[in-house]
Amino acid sequence: MATDAQLPLEGLLVVSCEQAVAAPLATRHLADLGARVIKIEREGSGDFARDYDETVHGMSSHFVWLNRSKESVTLDLKSDDGRATMLRLLERADVFVQNFAPGAAERLGLGAAALRERYPRLVTCSISGYGSSGPYRDAKAYDLLIQSEAGLVSITGTEDAPAKSGIPAADIGAGMYAFSGILSALYERERTGLGTDLEVSLFDSLVEWMGYPLYYAGYGGTAPRRTGTSHAAIAPYGTFSAGDGTDVVLSIQNEREWVTFCEVVLRRPEVATDPRFSSGRARVENRPALHAEIDTVLTGLTGDELVARLVAARIAHARQREVGEVLEHPQLAARDRWTEVDSPVGPLRALQPPITVAGRRARMDPGPAVGEHTEAVLAWLDGHRAEDPFDD
């Protein structure tokens, strides 16, 4: 049973000048594991992701997802007082995260080099669109633009039309690499006593995720084809419909599974040895004919009958669920993955963090209103300010 025992990152202070998705995702995962995250926002409107939509009782779905368990402090970092307060926070911080526009941190005196000289134990993490150098350094870097530049859009969608990922893949990738990079830097600090500078870009993160298509194109001469939910190199693989309209996704990974599929699911073992379908390559080359053979059988089954045959054959499969159905997914219910968090608009349904720490209760504190914690954090600084060894 989970308890209120200390989480792994309790006692760690993270200060983050963050907005949108990538940086807030990284710091939310740190907060989930117990870190104290102070979110620095612009005075007035705060993080612009607060205004992406109003679907969660007037709050943005993006903001609610990314900002639980944080404290919001508003500062004018262009003012002397704002910068002074920021430096006082960084005196006590273990980690500083920022996703300013390129060069902005340096202009504010918050660049990695300046902070490294002043605070040698501080781990700094800069998240940007394309990195701190190169011809794209200053280019706008919204998620769709990165998906396009990294080639993800070109291989996503159907044969007739490309499509972007339905989630902000570049932002999520960068946020997760920032999160894991920060953890590695903290581990290194335990051995050396020194922090380090990390740099993560959305473009580099998503290009890394494009690994298999890049190798496929680089060595095969052509990029993987867009095939909807099918796979460019495996067949049958993707969405098939039963006669009652139930969409089921299935995946055949090897020849043994293909033979079993034909025998148990299709109940037509002769299809397995048809020269058009007798190897993985042949099935891919003859995909339309393959699908026609499969559909001939599946249209005579209900969704439940099809799933029962797939289970009996031990063929990998899944229901193709709508987003609304996922909210009531039986696996989430059985594992008690839903809980509640408080917010400025009242209690909200929320998923437990994906990292479960054995024997310890997950941290699920409220998401903050803009500047909600400014006075409390300033009072804390005034009561706990340490002398700066770098002051003359």
Side-chain angles (χ1 to χ4, degrees), residues 14 42 45 50 63 94 105 141 144 186 210 235 275 279 328 378 389:
V14 179
R42 61 170 58 86
S45 58
R50 290 180 178 271
F63 190 85
D94 298 283
L144 171 58
L186 290 169
M210 289 289 292
S279 70
E328 309 304 326
L378 293 179

Side-chain angles (χ1 to χ4, degrees), residues 128-156:
S128 64
Y130 289 97
S132 60
S133 60
Y136 280 69
R137 188 193 88 137
D138 297 317
K140 294 289 186 181
Y142 305 132
D143 184 83
L144 171 58
L145 307 183
I146 299 293
Q147 288 194 36
S148 299
E149 288 286 350
L152 179 58
V153 170
S154 75
I155 61 166
T156 305

Side-chain angles (χ1 to χ4, degrees), residues 166-297:
I167 59 174
D171 284 311
I172 293 172
M176 294 308 297
Y177 283 121
F179 169 58
S180 57
I182 289 167
L183 295 179
S184 70
L186 290 169
Y187 179 75
E188 181 184 47
R189 192 179 72 172
E190 289 298 304
R191 293 183 287 112
T192 66
L194 298 173
T196 193
D197 305 329
L198 304 171
E199 181 179 340
V200 177
S201 82
L202 276 67
F203 182 69
D204 291 345
S205 300
L206 198 56
V207 170
E208 165 64 22
W209 284 12
M210 289 289 292
Y212 125 71
L214 291 176
Y215 281 99
Y216 190 103
Y219 288 92
T222 59
R225 294 171 52 204
R226 291 191 303 272
T227 53
T229 60
S230 296
H231 194 289
I234 303 172
Y237 186 117
T239 305
F240 293 83
S241 295
D244 62 1
T246 301
D247 288 331
V248 176
V249 180
L250 60 89
S251 171
I252 302 297
Q253 295 288 320
N254 54 54
E255 295 309 302
R256 175 185 55 79
E257 288 185 356
W258 168 240
V259 171
T260 301
F261 176 77
C262 293
E263 292 176 348
V264 178
V265 179
L266 299 184
R267 297 182 181 175
R268 293 185 58 198
E270 71 277 7
V271 174
T273 56
D274 186 313
R276 296 173 298 168
F277 316 132
S278 59
S279 70
R281 180 174 180 176
R283 290 192 294 276
V284 170
E285 291 176 348
N286 295 285
R287 195 190 305 268
L290 173 70
H291 282 209
E293 293 284 353
I294 294 172
D295 289 341
T296 297
V297 175

Side-chain angles (χ1 to χ4, degrees), residues 100-140:
F100 291 123
E106 286 72 19
R107 291 191 296 272
L108 293 169
L110 299 174
L115 294 180
R116 175 69 46 245
E117 182 177 350
R118 189 174 180 92
Y119 310 115
R121 285 181 53 81
L122 183 67
V123 172
T124 63
C125 180
S126 170
I127 302 175
S128 64
Y130 289 97
S132 60
S133 60
Y136 280 69
R137 188 193 88 137
D138 297 317
K140 294 289 186 181

